[in-house]
Amino acid sequence: DLFQAGHKFFAKKTVSGQGKDVRCIENEEQFAELQKQWHHDKYILQEAVRQHSFLSSINPNSVNTIRLVTLNDGESVKPLRAVLRCGTLRSGKVDNLHAGGVGIALNRDGELTKYGYYVSGYGTKTDCHPDSGVIFEGIKIPFYEEAVEKALQLYKMLYDICAVGWDIAITEEGPVFIEGNVSWGLDAIQICHGGIRKEWLELCQKRGIKIPK
């Protein structure tokens, strides 16, 4: 029985993004309804992750993930920027900014910076979570250094890809990698961190990519 002991799954279309076409499957009836669509679309099923209680205190309605972007300049792999994505009542069971979630920049030590940002159409910025009221600034994300280290280890297995955005959940036992994205959302990274032109031009130069003037 897939759903014994309260197990839940998330069904995601294999070709989609921005939190669209994600469904929470909690019982046999919902699973049967999903199966009816299998001849139209392809889905991947992932068992629901139980996030760290600290992250649940910020927002318990979705798994709030780290989007960590890593770069490969042809000589080494390194982290570029990281954002904590938090779901809201508006975004429901997903944390994507394009669904109404809020993104907060993480510094190199895994601490949240002062403001969280929305994408256009959902708001501007806020210094606290809109539903729980938790203040962002100074919050230290558990297991952050371990998450970065594991992302770099995984990235070395994908050496021909110049940039990957990892979605990482944090559990009581440590980081769990949900997925890696080649289209990793430059807009969200720049909204939260500001421009990354310098780093991107350096990457292109080392990879031998010519940028039109």
Side-chain angles (χ1 to χ4, degrees), residues 87-159:
T88 64
L89 289 177
R90 190 169 187 175
S91 71
K93 292 185 180 297
V94 299
D95 62 359
N96 302 71
L97 271 65
H98 288 274
V102 59
I104 313 98
L106 284 156
N107 65 23
R108 296 292 184 184
D109 297 322
E111 293 183 354
L112 297 182
T113 52
K114 185 170 184 178
Y115 292 110
Y117 294 87
Y118 301 95
V119 297
S120 178
Y122 291 101
T124 52
K125 67 180 183 179
T126 176
D127 63 356
C128 66
H129 191 275
D131 306 313
S132 68
V134 172
I135 300 293
F136 297 135
E137 189 172 22
I139 288 178
K140 172 75 172 177
I141 301 301
F143 298 108
Y144 180 75
E145 290 82 3
E146 183 178 342
V148 174
E149 181 181 350
K150 287 190 174 183
L152 296 177
Q153 291 173 358
L154 289 171
Y155 194 20
K156 291 176 182 178
M157 303 177 189
L158 305 170
Y159 214 74

